Amino acid sequence: MLTNYILTFFIYAFAGWVMETIYRSSIQGRLVNPGFLRGPFLPIYGLFATLVIWTSALLGNLSWTWQYVWFVFLSTLLEYVAGWFFERFYHLQLWDYHSTPLNLHGRIALPFSLLWGGLGLVFYNIINPTVQQQLQLTPSPVRTVFALIMSAYVIWDLIDSSLLLRRLEHFVTAFHEHYDRLELPTFHIACSPFYRLLHTYPKMRHTLHETMTLLYAKQEALEHFLKLQRNKFYNHDEESDTHSLD
């Protein structure tokens, strides 16, 4: 049973990553890795699916209406706690519902909670029975080995990505303190490890919010500087050619 829980977590963490990748990429007009992990997993989707299955004994005798209410409550609680966790320990707000009606602290919003409830109904009554049936058809040793491999990978990815978030926080603090003395090429190289996170979450708030504005301004200044240098170089060549003809 533990192996099934682990595999279920990974299956839906991956499915959630695919959904979010399509959604965010369509909005931003380019391919986006939507998670804070490097790999193709969004743990919040896997955790939601696992909790739904874990509480399935309580859901069997409920009508679809009460199942929907439970999924809305469970998803809202999970999303709020996850949002609080990142703000509390990483000083980051990885999603922002402040512009969405009926939101609470920008972490949750009623329209999205209602959407999660609908996804929960589809998952529990239609998708998951088929997935669990396919899992049972897979030999037990194969399931165990796959669960161990995926667990080791995600634990490594979680630690590595968490350290990267910490490095980003320290980088932004140092950048803010030494902004006036930072050379443009040095800045460009120093922030390169964080490009994926910055492009994935362009609306990072709290301790990063004001500093991100400076960071992006610095990057734009670099691009403008390089453009001016190119124009100056081309104009100099044109003047040299003119003088040669004279």
Side-chain angles (χ1 to χ4, degrees):
M1 184 172 293
L2 178 60
T3 300
N4 284 349
Y5 276 128
I6 294 174
L7 292 177
T8 297
F9 173 86
F10 289 127
I11 289 171
Y12 292 109
F14 174 73
W17 179 86
V18 172
M19 290 174 54
E20 288 282 346
T21 297
I22 295 173
Y23 173 71
R24 288 177 180 264
S25 298
S26 63
I27 290 179
Q28 298 190 29
R30 57 183 177 79
L31 185 62
V32 175
N33 181 355
F36 77 98
L37 297 179
R38 295 179 185 272
F41 299 101
L42 286 181
I44 192 170
Y45 281 87
L47 187 57
F48 175 70
T50 304
L51 289 176
V52 168
I53 296 174
W54 186 58
T55 59
S56 59
L58 303 175
L59 301 175
N61 297 325
L62 297 179
S63 65
W64 280 31
T65 301
W66 284 108
Q67 287 180 7
Y68 178 77
V69 171
W70 170 245
F71 295 145
V72 169
F73 169 78
L74 183 62
S75 61
T76 302
L77 178 64
L78 182 60
E79 193 169 26
Y80 189 90
V81 171
W84 172 86
F85 175 83
F86 278 103
E87 293 174 24
R88 172 65 178 82
F89 293 100
Y90 296 104
H91 307 289
L92 300 174
Q93 188 169 23
L94 299 184
W95 57 83
D96 183 7
Y97 292 144
H98 279 95
S99 60
T100 304
L102 303 174
N103 75 84
L104 179 62
H105 303 151
R107 299 170 188 160
I108 55 175
L110 183 59
F112 286 95
S113 296
L114 297 177
L115 177 61
W116 272 92
L119 291 175
L121 276 179
V122 174
F123 158 75
Y124 179 72
N125 293 287
I126 300 176
I127 298 176
N128 190 59
T130 302
V131 171
Q132 295 302 319
Q133 184 179 16
Q134 293 301 316
L135 281 178
Q136 295 303 320
L137 294 176
T138 305
S140 180
V142 175
R143 282 181 287 159
T144 301
V145 171
F146 190 73
L148 289 173
I149 293 174
M150 295 308 300
S151 297
Y153 169 76
V154 169
I155 290 173
W156 171 84
D157 197 348
L158 181 62
I159 294 173
D160 183 63
S161 299
S162 297
L163 292 175
L164 183 63
L165 286 177
R166 285 296 188 188
R167 285 173 56 201
L168 174 59
E169 181 182 354
H170 295 321
F171 168 77
V172 170
T173 301
F175 166 79
H176 187 69
E177 294 175 353
H178 305 288
Y179 173 77
D180 294 331
R181 301 191 299 272
L182 190 63
E183 297 292 334
L184 290 176
T186 303
F187 161 79
H188 192 68
I189 296 172
C191 70
S192 59
F194 313 112
Y195 280 161
R196 185 187 70 82
L197 288 174
L198 296 178
H199 286 305
T200 300
Y201 303 109
K203 295 183 179 180
M204 287 181 172
R205 298 172 63 89
H206 296 301
T207 57
L208 296 183
H209 180 67
E210 294 181 359
T211 314
M212 283 299 105
T213 302
L214 293 176
L215 191 152
Y216 286 125
K218 194 76 170 180
Q219 189 173 7
E220 291 176 0
L222 173 61
E223 295 174 355
H224 182 65
F225 172 77
L226 294 176
K227 182 179 180 181
L228 290 177
Q229 293 301 310
R230 285 195 298 268
N231 291 337
K232 183 178 179 180
F233 176 78
Y234 291 142
N235 291 336
H236 177 72
D237 285 350
E238 290 177 359
E239 290 178 0
S240 298
D241 292 341
T242 302
H243 290 306
S244 298
L245 291 174
D246 293 339

